Short mmCIF file of all heavy atoms in Angstrom, two decimals:
data_model
loop_
_atom_site.label_atom_id
_atom_site.label_comp_id
_atom_site.label_asym_id
_atom_site.label_seq_id
_atom_site.Cartn_x
_atom_site.Cartn_y
_atom_site.Cartn_z
N GLN A 1 0.82 -1.21 0.00
CA GLN A 1 0.00 0.00 0.00
C GLN A 1 0.85 1.26 0.00
O GLN A 1 0.56 2.22 -0.72
CB GLN A 1 -0.94 0.02 1.21
CG GLN A 1 -1.89 1.22 1.22
CD GLN A 1 -2.66 1.34 2.51
OE1 GLN A 1 -2.09 1.27 3.59
NE2 GLN A 1 -3.96 1.54 2.40
N ARG A 2 1.93 1.28 0.81
CA ARG A 2 2.75 2.49 0.89
C ARG A 2 3.35 2.84 -0.47
O ARG A 2 3.46 4.01 -0.82
CB ARG A 2 3.84 2.32 1.95
CG ARG A 2 4.67 3.59 2.17
CD ARG A 2 5.54 3.48 3.39
NE ARG A 2 4.76 3.47 4.62
CZ ARG A 2 4.35 4.56 5.25
NH1 ARG A 2 4.61 5.75 4.74
NH2 ARG A 2 3.68 4.46 6.37
N SER A 3 3.74 1.84 -1.24
CA SER A 3 4.30 2.08 -2.57
C SER A 3 3.25 2.68 -3.49
O SER A 3 3.53 3.58 -4.29
CB SER A 3 4.85 0.78 -3.16
OG SER A 3 5.87 0.25 -2.36
N ARG A 4 2.01 2.18 -3.37
CA ARG A 4 0.93 2.72 -4.20
C ARG A 4 0.60 4.16 -3.80
O ARG A 4 0.33 5.01 -4.66
CB ARG A 4 -0.33 1.84 -4.08
CG ARG A 4 -0.14 0.42 -4.60
CD ARG A 4 -1.48 -0.29 -4.77
NE ARG A 4 -2.22 -0.41 -3.52
CZ ARG A 4 -2.09 -1.41 -2.65
NH1 ARG A 4 -1.21 -2.38 -2.90
NH2 ARG A 4 -2.81 -1.46 -1.55
N ILE A 5 0.65 4.44 -2.50
CA ILE A 5 0.39 5.80 -2.02
C ILE A 5 1.48 6.74 -2.52
O ILE A 5 1.21 7.88 -2.93
CB ILE A 5 0.33 5.83 -0.48
CG1 ILE A 5 -0.93 5.10 0.01
CG2 ILE A 5 0.35 7.27 0.04
CD1 ILE A 5 -2.23 5.76 -0.40
N ARG A 6 2.72 6.25 -2.49
CA ARG A 6 3.85 7.08 -2.97
C ARG A 6 3.65 7.45 -4.44
O ARG A 6 3.90 8.59 -4.84
CB ARG A 6 5.15 6.32 -2.76
CG ARG A 6 6.40 7.16 -2.97
CD ARG A 6 7.64 6.39 -2.55
NE ARG A 6 7.63 6.13 -1.12
CZ ARG A 6 7.77 4.93 -0.58
NH1 ARG A 6 7.90 3.86 -1.35
NH2 ARG A 6 7.77 4.78 0.73
N LYS A 7 3.20 6.49 -5.24
CA LYS A 7 2.94 6.75 -6.66
C LYS A 7 1.76 7.72 -6.81
O LYS A 7 1.78 8.63 -7.67
CB LYS A 7 2.64 5.45 -7.40
CG LYS A 7 2.39 5.62 -8.90
CD LYS A 7 2.11 4.29 -9.57
CE LYS A 7 1.92 4.47 -11.06
NZ LYS A 7 0.83 5.42 -11.40
N LEU A 8 0.73 7.55 -5.97
CA LEU A 8 -0.43 8.44 -6.01
C LEU A 8 -0.02 9.88 -5.73
O LEU A 8 -0.48 10.81 -6.41
CB LEU A 8 -1.47 7.98 -4.99
CG LEU A 8 -2.67 8.92 -4.77
CD1 LEU A 8 -3.48 9.03 -6.05
CD2 LEU A 8 -3.53 8.44 -3.62
N ILE A 9 0.85 10.07 -4.77
CA ILE A 9 1.30 11.42 -4.42
C ILE A 9 2.06 12.05 -5.58
O ILE A 9 1.87 13.24 -5.89
CB ILE A 9 2.18 11.39 -3.14
CG1 ILE A 9 1.33 10.99 -1.93
CG2 ILE A 9 2.83 12.75 -2.90
CD1 ILE A 9 2.13 10.74 -0.68
N LEU A 10 2.88 11.26 -6.24
CA LEU A 10 3.60 11.77 -7.43
C LEU A 10 2.61 12.19 -8.51
O LEU A 10 2.78 13.23 -9.17
CB LEU A 10 4.57 10.71 -7.96
CG LEU A 10 5.80 10.42 -7.11
CD1 LEU A 10 6.58 9.24 -7.68
CD2 LEU A 10 6.70 11.66 -7.04
N ASP A 11 1.57 11.38 -8.72
CA ASP A 11 0.55 11.70 -9.71
C ASP A 11 -0.19 12.99 -9.32
O ASP A 11 -0.48 13.84 -10.18
CB ASP A 11 -0.45 10.55 -9.85
CG ASP A 11 0.17 9.31 -10.48
OD1 ASP A 11 1.22 9.45 -11.16
OD2 ASP A 11 -0.38 8.21 -10.30
N LEU A 12 -0.48 13.14 -8.02
CA LEU A 12 -1.18 14.33 -7.56
C LEU A 12 -0.31 15.58 -7.70
O LEU A 12 -0.82 16.67 -7.98
CB LEU A 12 -1.61 14.15 -6.10
CG LEU A 12 -2.74 13.16 -5.84
CD1 LEU A 12 -2.96 12.98 -4.34
CD2 LEU A 12 -4.03 13.61 -6.51
N GLU A 13 0.99 15.40 -7.52
CA GLU A 13 1.90 16.53 -7.71
C GLU A 13 1.87 17.00 -9.17
O GLU A 13 1.92 18.21 -9.45
CB GLU A 13 3.33 16.14 -7.32
CG GLU A 13 3.54 16.04 -5.81
CD GLU A 13 4.96 15.62 -5.47
OE1 GLU A 13 5.72 15.24 -6.38
OE2 GLU A 13 5.30 15.67 -4.28
N ASN A 14 1.78 16.05 -10.07
CA ASN A 14 1.69 16.40 -11.49
C ASN A 14 0.39 17.12 -11.81
O ASN A 14 0.28 17.84 -12.81
CB ASN A 14 1.82 15.14 -12.36
CG ASN A 14 3.20 14.52 -12.28
OD1 ASN A 14 4.18 15.22 -12.05
ND2 ASN A 14 3.27 13.21 -12.46
N GLU A 15 -0.62 16.89 -10.93
CA GLU A 15 -1.92 17.54 -11.12
C GLU A 15 -2.04 18.83 -10.32
O GLU A 15 -3.10 19.45 -10.28
CB GLU A 15 -3.05 16.57 -10.72
CG GLU A 15 -3.18 15.35 -11.60
CD GLU A 15 -3.55 15.69 -13.04
OE1 GLU A 15 -4.29 16.69 -13.23
OE2 GLU A 15 -3.11 14.97 -13.96
N GLY A 16 -0.94 19.20 -9.66
CA GLY A 16 -0.94 20.48 -8.96
C GLY A 16 -0.98 20.42 -7.45
O GLY A 16 -1.21 21.45 -6.79
N LEU A 17 -0.77 19.24 -6.85
CA LEU A 17 -0.75 19.15 -5.39
C LEU A 17 0.36 20.04 -4.83
O LEU A 17 1.51 19.94 -5.25
CB LEU A 17 -0.52 17.70 -4.95
CG LEU A 17 -0.31 17.49 -3.44
CD1 LEU A 17 -1.59 17.79 -2.68
CD2 LEU A 17 0.17 16.08 -3.15
N ASP A 18 0.01 20.90 -3.92
CA ASP A 18 0.96 21.81 -3.28
C ASP A 18 1.31 21.24 -1.90
O ASP A 18 0.50 21.27 -0.98
CB ASP A 18 0.34 23.20 -3.13
CG ASP A 18 1.36 24.24 -2.68
OD1 ASP A 18 2.30 23.87 -1.97
OD2 ASP A 18 1.19 25.42 -3.03
N LYS A 19 2.52 20.72 -1.77
CA LYS A 19 2.93 20.09 -0.52
C LYS A 19 2.98 21.09 0.63
O LYS A 19 2.74 20.74 1.78
CB LYS A 19 4.28 19.40 -0.68
CG LYS A 19 4.21 18.08 -1.44
CD LYS A 19 5.54 17.36 -1.41
CE LYS A 19 5.45 15.99 -2.05
NZ LYS A 19 6.75 15.27 -2.01
N LYS A 20 3.30 22.35 0.32
CA LYS A 20 3.36 23.36 1.37
C LYS A 20 1.98 23.60 1.96
O LYS A 20 1.82 23.76 3.18
CB LYS A 20 3.94 24.66 0.81
CG LYS A 20 5.43 24.60 0.50
CD LYS A 20 5.95 25.95 0.05
CE LYS A 20 7.45 25.88 -0.22
NZ LYS A 20 7.99 27.19 -0.68
N LYS A 21 0.94 23.63 1.10
CA LYS A 21 -0.42 23.82 1.60
C LYS A 21 -0.90 22.60 2.38
O LYS A 21 -1.61 22.71 3.37
CB LYS A 21 -1.35 24.12 0.43
CG LYS A 21 -1.14 25.50 -0.19
CD LYS A 21 -2.13 25.78 -1.30
CE LYS A 21 -1.92 27.17 -1.89
NZ LYS A 21 -2.85 27.46 -3.00
N LEU A 22 -0.49 21.41 1.90
CA LEU A 22 -0.85 20.19 2.62
C LEU A 22 -0.19 20.16 3.99
O LEU A 22 -0.79 19.77 4.99
CB LEU A 22 -0.45 18.96 1.81
CG LEU A 22 -0.76 17.60 2.43
CD1 LEU A 22 -2.25 17.47 2.71
CD2 LEU A 22 -0.29 16.47 1.52
N ASP A 23 1.06 20.61 4.03
CA ASP A 23 1.78 20.68 5.30
C ASP A 23 1.09 21.65 6.25
O ASP A 23 1.00 21.40 7.46
CB ASP A 23 3.23 21.12 5.04
CG ASP A 23 4.07 21.10 6.31
OD1 ASP A 23 4.10 20.08 7.00
OD2 ASP A 23 4.71 22.13 6.62
N LEU A 24 0.56 22.76 5.72
CA LEU A 24 -0.17 23.74 6.53
C LEU A 24 -1.44 23.11 7.08
O LEU A 24 -1.81 23.34 8.25
CB LEU A 24 -0.50 24.98 5.70
CG LEU A 24 -1.27 26.09 6.43
CD1 LEU A 24 -0.48 26.61 7.62
CD2 LEU A 24 -1.59 27.22 5.46
N THR A 25 -2.12 22.32 6.26
CA THR A 25 -3.34 21.63 6.71
C THR A 25 -3.02 20.69 7.87
O THR A 25 -3.75 20.66 8.88
CB THR A 25 -3.95 20.81 5.55
OG1 THR A 25 -4.36 21.70 4.51
CG2 THR A 25 -5.15 20.01 6.03
N ILE A 26 -1.93 19.93 7.75
CA ILE A 26 -1.53 19.01 8.81
C ILE A 26 -1.19 19.78 10.08
O ILE A 26 -1.54 19.34 11.20
CB ILE A 26 -0.34 18.15 8.34
CG1 ILE A 26 -0.78 17.25 7.17
CG2 ILE A 26 0.19 17.30 9.49
CD1 ILE A 26 0.36 16.47 6.53
N LYS A 27 -0.54 20.93 9.95
CA LYS A 27 -0.19 21.74 11.12
C LYS A 27 -1.45 22.25 11.82
O LYS A 27 -1.53 22.27 13.05
CB LYS A 27 0.68 22.92 10.71
CG LYS A 27 2.12 22.55 10.36
CD LYS A 27 2.92 23.77 9.96
CE LYS A 27 4.35 23.39 9.62
NZ LYS A 27 5.15 24.57 9.17
N ASN A 28 -2.46 22.66 11.02
CA ASN A 28 -3.71 23.14 11.60
C ASN A 28 -4.44 22.02 12.34
O ASN A 28 -5.01 22.22 13.42
CB ASN A 28 -4.61 23.73 10.51
CG ASN A 28 -4.08 25.05 9.97
OD1 ASN A 28 -3.35 25.76 10.66
ND2 ASN A 28 -4.43 25.38 8.74
N LEU A 29 -4.42 20.83 11.74
CA LEU A 29 -5.04 19.67 12.39
C LEU A 29 -4.31 19.34 13.69
O LEU A 29 -4.93 18.94 14.68
CB LEU A 29 -5.01 18.46 11.45
CG LEU A 29 -5.93 18.55 10.22
CD1 LEU A 29 -5.69 17.34 9.31
CD2 LEU A 29 -7.39 18.62 10.63
N LYS A 30 -2.99 19.51 13.68
CA LYS A 30 -2.20 19.23 14.87
C LYS A 30 -2.58 20.18 16.02
O LYS A 30 -2.64 19.76 17.18
CB LYS A 30 -0.71 19.35 14.58
CG LYS A 30 0.18 18.98 15.76
CD LYS A 30 1.64 19.12 15.41
CE LYS A 30 2.50 18.69 16.61
NZ LYS A 30 2.23 19.52 17.81
N CYS A 31 -2.86 21.44 15.68
CA CYS A 31 -3.28 22.40 16.72
C CYS A 31 -4.58 21.95 17.37
O CYS A 31 -4.74 22.01 18.59
CB CYS A 31 -3.45 23.79 16.11
SG CYS A 31 -1.89 24.60 15.66
N ALA A 32 -5.53 21.49 16.55
CA ALA A 32 -6.80 20.97 17.08
C ALA A 32 -6.55 19.74 17.93
O ALA A 32 -7.16 19.56 19.00
CB ALA A 32 -7.75 20.65 15.94
N ASN A 33 -5.64 18.90 17.49
CA ASN A 33 -5.30 17.67 18.22
C ASN A 33 -4.69 18.00 19.58
O ASN A 33 -4.99 17.34 20.58
CB ASN A 33 -4.33 16.84 17.39
CG ASN A 33 -4.01 15.52 18.05
OD1 ASN A 33 -4.85 14.65 18.17
ND2 ASN A 33 -2.76 15.36 18.48
N ASP A 34 -3.85 19.02 19.62
CA ASP A 34 -3.23 19.43 20.89
C ASP A 34 -4.28 19.88 21.89
O ASP A 34 -4.15 19.63 23.09
CB ASP A 34 -2.22 20.56 20.65
CG ASP A 34 -0.98 20.10 19.90
OD1 ASP A 34 -0.74 18.88 19.87
OD2 ASP A 34 -0.26 20.95 19.33
N GLY A 35 -5.33 20.54 21.39
CA GLY A 35 -6.41 20.97 22.28
C GLY A 35 -7.12 19.79 22.92
O GLY A 35 -7.42 19.80 24.12
#
């Protein structure tokens, strides 16, 4: 599964996935988790 996910992420990057924005989303979720 991890190999398939890795390929999926590469495909999404080709479609415009912005890792910086995804990282920001994860950080925001982490703030909620800390609460």
Side-chain angles (χ1 to χ4, degrees):
Q1 184 189 48
R2 184 169 291 276
S3 299
R4 296 194 300 272
I5 291 295
R6 191 172 294 126
K7 182 180 182 303
L8 172 64
I9 293 171
L10 289 174
D11 292 339
L12 289 174
E13 286 179 351
N14 293 332
E15 294 296 327
L17 173 68
D18 189 330
K19 284 188 175 180
K20 289 184 178 179
K21 289 183 179 179
L22 180 58
D23 185 52
L24 180 61
T25 297
I26 295 174
K27 286 180 180 178
N28 289 335
L29 291 174
K30 184 180 182 300
C31 288
N33 184 68
D34 290 342

